[in-house]
């Protein structure tokens, strides 16, 4: 092997090692990449894990060293040590420093996990839609107060999503979908999570943490899809026999495509409602309607 070839191999080792460390860390930490809050949660896990790994290797290494170096030998007399003030002070303060560092890192990241940022410049505008602009004391909003707000309704055993844009003054007529939520990329999406029956839990790992859907309460969370794609999740709280079937997906599409989808959806629902209204009218006019025969 020439010296330049061996040099190339040597150069590749740190890269391969870095890759191995990265993939090991990724295996033990939450999925991420879909939304800034999920990325912050993931990096927090990675920092904690890296510190824990260093401590693990140091402690186990010292233990192994002591086991081998001071193993039982003929004629050896074990030293009897009682107390070592310097050592004890050392490990107590080192542990305190590590704990403090972890607390500082956690609290630094907490606000970017909990508080939604503004949508990106290439996010959806949806300026004309009602329900896009929010002023709320409960819900955390982006600094500019603009988010796409979607209501997530948990019920045995399906998720329903209600989008902004009610056509009726009483709030009815808003477009909705089941199981698959469609959102625009680079747009801050705030979620109102509710339940119609028992406790459910909304969770799309790549888009952030879990949020409970509790009957009678509103839970709030947010995400901002950084790329197009399908993000999978499912109800994370056992809610009955069909719990395993209560899956959820979020499909992130370019903003223009989202607006197109939303208006198509609104049209489909309008048509379906008109057809149902017509069918009801027809039934009402039929002779004998209203007289229910006993079977
Ligand atoms: Cu459920």
């Amino acid at each position: 092997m020439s010296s330049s070839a061996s040099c190339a191999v040597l150069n590749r080792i740190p890269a391969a090692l870095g890759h191995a460390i990265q993939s090991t860390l990724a295996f033990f930490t939450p999925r991420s990449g879909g939304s800034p809050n999920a990325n912050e949660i993931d990096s927090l896990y990675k920092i904690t894990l890296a510190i824990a790994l260093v401590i693990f290797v140091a402690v186990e290494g010292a233990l192994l060293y002591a086991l081998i170096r001071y193993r039982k030998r003929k004629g050896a007399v074990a030293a009897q040590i009682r107390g070592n003030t310097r050592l004890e002070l050392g490990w107590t303060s080192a542990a305190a420093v590590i704990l403090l560092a972890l607390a500082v890192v956690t609290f630094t990241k907490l606000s970017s996990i909990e508080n939604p940022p503004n949508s990106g410049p290439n996010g959806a505008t949806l300026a004309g839609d009602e329900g896009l602009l929010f002023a709320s004391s409960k819900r955390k909003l982006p600094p500019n107060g603009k988010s796409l707000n979607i209501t997530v309704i948990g019920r045995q055993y399906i998720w329903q999503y209600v989008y902004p844009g009610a056509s009726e003054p009483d709030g009815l007529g808003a477009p909705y979908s089941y199981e698959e939520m469609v959102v625009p990329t680079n747009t801050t999406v705030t979620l109102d999570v509710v339940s119609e029956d028992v406790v459910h839990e909304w969770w799309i790992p790549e888009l952030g943490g879990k949020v409970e859907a509790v009957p009678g309460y509103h839970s709030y969370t947010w995400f901002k899809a950084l790329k197009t794609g399908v993000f999978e999740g499912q109800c994370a709280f056992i809610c009955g026999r069909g719990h395993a079937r209560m899956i959820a997906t979020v499909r992130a599409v370019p903003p223009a495509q989202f607006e197109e989808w939303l208006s198509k959806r609104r049209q489909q629902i309008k048509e379906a409602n008109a057809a149902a209204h017509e069918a009801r009218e027809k039934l009402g006019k039929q002779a004998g309607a209203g007289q229910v025969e006993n079977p």
Side-chain angles (χ1 to χ4, degrees), residues 31-272:
R31 284 160 70 181
S32 62
S35 176
N37 49 352
N39 293 353
E40 292 291 351
I41 293 170
D42 183 48
S43 67
L44 197 51
Y45 268 81
K46 283 189 176 131
I47 292 168
T48 312
L49 186 61
I51 294 173
L53 277 176
V54 170
I55 295 167
F56 178 80
V57 169
V59 170
E60 294 303 309
L63 182 67
L64 274 176
Y65 171 80
L67 278 175
I68 295 162
R69 175 82 172 76
Y70 302 109
R71 68 187 182 277
K72 193 179 171 190
R73 283 198 192 94
K74 258 189 193 157
V77 182
Q80 299 299 320
I81 301 163
R82 289 187 219 294
N84 185 326
T85 316
R86 260 168 75 188
L87 212 57
E88 282 165 22
L89 277 175
W91 69 56
T92 307
S93 49
V97 167
I98 292 164
L99 204 65
L100 198 69
L102 279 177
V104 168
V105 174
T106 305
F107 280 98
T108 315
K109 283 184 172 286
L110 214 53
S111 87
S112 53
I113 292 170
E114 287 190 332
N115 304 316
N118 285 341
S119 296
N122 43 358
T125 49
L126 288 156
D129 267 319
E130 221 181 292
L132 188 64
L133 271 168
F134 264 108
S136 166
S137 54
K138 294 178 195 157
R139 185 183 293 112
K140 279 185 176 129
L141 291 169
N144 68 4
K146 286 179 189 172
S147 69
L148 170 64
N149 195 71
I150 299 173
T151 304
V152 176
I153 305 166
R155 66 168 70 97
Q156 289 168 318
Y157 297 101
I158 196 161
W159 292 103
Q160 185 187 2
Y161 316 114
V162 183
Y163 302 83
S167 56
E168 313 279 328
D170 56 4
L172 288 176
Y176 56 82
S177 66
Y178 287 96
E179 211 163 278
E180 184 186 69
M181 180 193 286
V182 180
V183 296
T185 50
N186 293 310
T187 307
T188 303
V189 178
T190 47
L191 302 177
D192 276 20
V193 185
V194 296
S195 168
E196 286 207 339
D197 38 47
V198 298
V199 176
H200 300 278
E201 200 164 41
W202 167 258
W203 194 31
I204 307 284
E206 271 172 275
L207 300 178
K210 297 174 180 176
V211 182
E212 276 191 5
V214 183
Y217 290 88
H218 282 251
S219 305
Y220 304 101
T221 188
W222 68 276
F223 67 84
K224 183 163 115 177
L226 299 169
K227 55 183 183 192
T228 58
V230 175
F231 304 99
E232 286 173 347
Q234 79 155 88
C235 180
F237 197 103
I238 190 149
C239 57
R241 295 180 85 177
H243 166 68
R245 269 179 258 144
M246 203 166 157
I247 54 168
T249 47
V250 170
R251 182 157 59 92
V253 297
Q257 208 175 315
F258 170 75
E259 304 218 15
E260 207 176 287
W261 175 86
L262 198 65
S263 64
K264 196 171 151 200
R265 194 79 201 151
R266 196 177 286 144
Q267 189 58 32
Q268 283 172 337
I269 292 167
K270 210 170 146 191
E271 280 167 19

